[in-house]
């Protein structure tokens, strides 16, 4: 009897090992599939004429629907590469990104090279290929360096999918989730950091939870670098999980403040010091803009 | 889209021209001016270029403009070189009794086909208000 039990346990152990190996193989395969769909950064895909034709539509959306207000564009260096670092809001339909892109292109002209880093899923998602014409490239250090070394302005949201899905009651908190690789990027490229503070985006829906536990449970954190599978209330669906299905953002008033450039040279101190400076600048800007809001969404 | 506003200023044409032809006066009387910079050096004349942005709607709209007509005490016109396609003009004419009639015209056209046409029409109201305010400011600046 003991021998039989031993054989059974031995066999079950093998089944378990084989099962885990199978899952690992499937995960690796899925990861490769997702990775292979992320387009290589090709800065030449940015198309100024295409952007110019899209600006009136974006202007209508920004001016009438989101009643956006963008200030301080004159603080951005007039030429040369610059790293624009913003706090991110609004889930997978972030109004702050397109409002700032519209403002930058209107102020400096579509001719000034301007790129934006986005999550792998955004740049590889079917139907969003046109974003590459706007200058959107997959978020990684190599692509960012490529853009900055070409002399372009680069917009990054270090908080990414962690910050963009924060609960709506934390809407006025700048939280990069400890990510500060952008400081190293600015140092490596030798470019100033210009903080870009914004408010309003997190009121485009009622974000309830980041859903990091769900991301782990579904293993999309390993498969697709998705750290969050958010849970939110949004029209027309009501309760939404993952924010992958198109929804109607609420017409929330967006306010953006561009702040004074921060030098990242050696004298500025180590990465932590610069990171702290950027966070304080952004939080100060968000607090100022938030203090001007009387009501959520309405502004 | 063409928008026009006019006013009568209690001053002679030369006095009005002195302000209208001075680039340094534009931040004082041009309403909703978000950005005004010299691109070329030297005094205002035909061919001089400036960067001009007005806050229209949510963002600054404009670009580089070039002076296309510089007829002292008569006409000052410009065209947009980059940004939104744009033509502008100050017409300065005698109104009798030593007063001067100033006509301010802006014609602009956004890219983007149908959305461009809609955007132009939507913007026209605010552009018109800005032009009215500009002429009021000019009047205050010129009249003693």
């Amino acid at each position: 009897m003991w021998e039989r039990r031993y054989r059974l346990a031995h066999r079950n152990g093998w089944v378990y090992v084989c099962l885990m190996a199978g899952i690992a193989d499937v995960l690796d395969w899925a990861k490769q599939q997702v990775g292979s769909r992320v387009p290589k950064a090709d800065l030449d895909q940015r198309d100024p004429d295409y952007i110019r034709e899209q600006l009136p539509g974006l202007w209508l959306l920004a001016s009438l629907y989101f009643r956006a207000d963008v200030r301080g564009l004159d603080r951005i260096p007039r030429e040369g590469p610059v790293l624009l670092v913003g706090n991110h809001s609004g889930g997978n339909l972030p109004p702050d990104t397109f409002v700032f892109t519209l403002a930058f292109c209107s102020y400096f002209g579509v001719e000034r090279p301007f790129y934006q880093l986005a999550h792998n899923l955004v740049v590889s998602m079917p139907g969003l290929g046109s974003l590459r014409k706007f200058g959107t490239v997959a978020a990684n250090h190599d692509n960012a360096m490529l853009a900055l070394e070409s002399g372009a302005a680069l917009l990054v949201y270090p908080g990414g999918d962690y910050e963009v899905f924060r609960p709506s009651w934390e809407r006025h908190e700048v939280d990069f989730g400890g990510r500060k690789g952008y400081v190293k990027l600015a140092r490596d490229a030798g470019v100033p950091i210009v903080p870009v503070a914004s408010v309003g985006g997190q009121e485009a829906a009622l974000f309830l939870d980041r859903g990091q536990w769900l991301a782990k449970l579904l293993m999309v954190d390993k498969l697709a670098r998705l750290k969050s599978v958010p849970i939110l209330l949004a029209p027309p669906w009501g309760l939404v999980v993952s924010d992958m299905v198109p929804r109607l953002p609420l017409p929330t008033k967006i306010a953006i403040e561009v702040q004074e450039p921060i030098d990242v040279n050696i004298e500025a101190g180590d990465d932590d010091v610069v990171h702290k400076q950027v966070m304080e600048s952004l939080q100060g800007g968000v607090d100022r803009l938030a203090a001007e809001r009387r009501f959520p969404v309405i502004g | 889209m063409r928008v026009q506003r006019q006013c009568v200023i209690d001053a002679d044409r030369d006095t009005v021209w002195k302000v209208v032809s001075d680039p340094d006066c534009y931040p004082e009387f041009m309403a909703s001016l978000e950005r005004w910079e010299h691109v070329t050096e030297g005094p205002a004349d035909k061919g001089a270029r400036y960067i001009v942005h007005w806050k229209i709607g949510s963002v600054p709209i404009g670009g580089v403009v070039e002076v296309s007509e510089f007829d002292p005490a008569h006409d000052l016109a410009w065209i947009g070189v980059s940004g939104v396609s744009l033509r502008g003009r100050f017409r300065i004419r005698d109104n009798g009794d030593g007063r001067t009639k100033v006509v301010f015209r802006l014609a602009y056209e956004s890219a983007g086909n149908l959305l461009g046409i809609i955007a132009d029409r939507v913007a026209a109201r605010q552009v018109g208000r800005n032009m009215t305010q500009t002429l009021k400011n000019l009047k205050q600046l010129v009249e003693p």
Side-chain angles (χ1 to χ4, degrees):
Chain A
M1 186 182 164
W2 284 109
E3 192 181 345
R4 197 174 153 211
R5 279 189 183 174
Y6 173 78
R7 277 183 191 164
L8 198 64
H10 190 68
R11 199 178 71 193
N12 286 348
W14 269 108
V15 169
Y16 178 75
V17 169
C18 288
L19 189 68
M20 289 313 289
I23 290 173
D25 285 346
V26 170
L27 283 178
D28 281 345
W29 176 82
K31 198 173 178 179
Q32 275 182 352
Q33 289 298 308
V34 172
S36 66
R37 285 172 199 275
V38 177
K40 294 263 181 289
D42 179 1
L43 302 186
D44 287 340
Q45 285 190 321
R46 184 179 180 276
D47 186 345
D49 292 330
Y50 174 82
I51 297 170
R52 191 164 181 267
E53 286 179 358
Q54 304 309 311
L55 289 183
L58 292 181
W59 179 84
L60 283 168
L61 198 59
S63 301
L64 300 182
Y65 195 75
F66 291 113
R67 304 163 330 275
D69 179 23
V70 185
R71 312 163 190 175
L73 288 160
D74 56 314
R75 292 172 179 153
I76 299 172
R78 289 177 193 184
E79 51 191 28
V82 57
L83 186 64
L84 302 150
V85 176
N87 62 311
H88 208 13
S89 305
N92 280 346
L93 297 168
D96 47 15
T97 312
F98 91 83
V99 168
F100 184 77
T101 301
L102 163 72
F104 187 95
C105 293
S106 298
Y107 194 80
F108 293 105
V110 292
E111 295 80 10
R112 182 172 180 180
F114 172 52
Y115 297 92
Q116 313 89 39
L117 293 190
H119 196 280
N120 284 354
L121 274 186
V122 175
V123 288
S124 53
M125 196 169 279
L128 291 183
S130 60
L131 284 179
R132 296 201 286 277
K133 293 184 184 176
F134 268 100
T136 305
V137 293
N140 61 53
H141 191 79
D142 292 344
N143 287 353
M145 279 301 287
L146 196 66
L148 290 173
E149 282 172 350
S150 74
L154 179 69
L155 174 65
V156 297
Y157 292 110
D161 60 338
Y162 176 80
E163 188 179 33
V164 87
F165 295 126
R166 69 191 180 282
S168 289
W169 48 89
E170 294 175 10
R171 63 194 184 280
H172 296 146
E173 287 174 26
V174 181
D175 185 2
F176 288 176
R179 298 170 190 175
K180 49 191 169 191
Y182 68 94
V183 181
K184 183 180 182 306
L185 173 67
R187 279 191 198 283
D188 289 350
V191 301
I193 291 174
V194 174
V196 180
S198 68
V199 298
Q202 212 63 4
E203 294 164 16
L206 182 60
F207 292 87
L208 301 172
D209 190 66
R210 283 192 176 98
Q212 287 170 292
W213 56 275
L214 198 52
K216 280 181 187 160
L217 190 72
L218 299 171
M219 290 190 283
V220 287
D221 56 333
K222 290 186 177 122
L223 282 174
R225 278 181 58 200
L226 268 182
K227 307 295 177 204
S228 307
V229 178
I231 301 165
L232 55 146
L233 283 172
W237 314 114
L239 190 68
V240 177
V241 177
S242 91
D243 202 18
M244 290 294 182
V245 183
R247 60 178 163 82
L248 183 68
L250 296 174
T252 176
K253 182 172 172 59
I254 302 294
I256 297 178
E257 180 190 274
V258 181
Q259 302 175 328
E260 292 294 342
I262 294 171
D263 198 1
V264 294
N265 59 23
I266 304 299
E267 291 81 39
D270 62 15
D271 287 5
D272 287 333
V273 174
V274 176
H275 173 63
K276 194 178 169 206
Q277 210 178 340
V278 172
M279 293 298 281
E280 283 175 356
S281 180
L282 280 174
Q283 190 61 63
V286 166
D287 290 345
R288 267 192 303 281
L289 295 172
E292 293 174 14
R293 289 175 90 79
R294 286 175 297 170
F295 302 103
V297 181
I298 297 167
Chain B
M1 196 76 209
R2 183 165 175 253
V3 187
Q4 175 176 308
R5 295 289 184 274
Q6 60 188 52
C7 74
V8 175
I9 296 177
D10 195 7
D12 59 47
R13 281 196 298 160
D14 289 328
T15 312
V16 175
W17 177 256
K18 207 173 168 184
V19 173
V20 167
S21 64
D22 183 357
D24 295 333
C25 287
Y26 276 65
E28 281 184 72
F29 74 87
M30 192 66 87
S32 297
L33 198 64
E34 179 104 351
R35 189 182 185 193
W36 175 259
E37 291 168 21
H38 294 248
V39 176
T40 51
E41 290 181 3
D45 206 344
K46 191 175 173 182
R49 289 188 173 195
Y50 307 91
I51 296 177
V52 55
H53 280 103
W54 295 271
K55 184 80 178 278
I56 307 289
S58 54
V59 294
I61 305 286
V64 176
V65 297
E66 181 178 308
V67 177
S68 56
E69 212 176 316
F70 195 83
D71 186 2
H74 211 252
D75 273 286
L76 177 73
W78 63 89
I79 54 168
V81 177
S82 71
V84 175
S85 300
L86 176 75
R87 300 182 79 86
R89 176 179 294 272
F90 279 112
R91 270 168 71 86
I92 299 167
R93 298 289 184 270
D94 267 332
N95 197 55
D97 304 334
R99 301 203 298 170
T100 304
K101 181 180 174 186
V102 180
V103 177
F104 182 16
R105 278 184 199 149
L106 273 179
Y108 58 91
E109 188 183 343
S110 303
N113 301 323
L114 182 61
L115 286 175
I117 293 168
I118 296 171
D120 286 350
R121 292 209 169 268
V122 169
R125 282 184 65 190
Q126 195 183 345
V127 171
R129 280 199 302 272
N130 286 347
M131 291 168 73
T132 304
Q133 187 58 46
T134 296
L135 289 178
K136 276 184 188 168
N137 296 343
L138 179 65
K139 197 173 160 73
Q140 279 180 355
L141 200 63
V142 171
E143 286 182 353

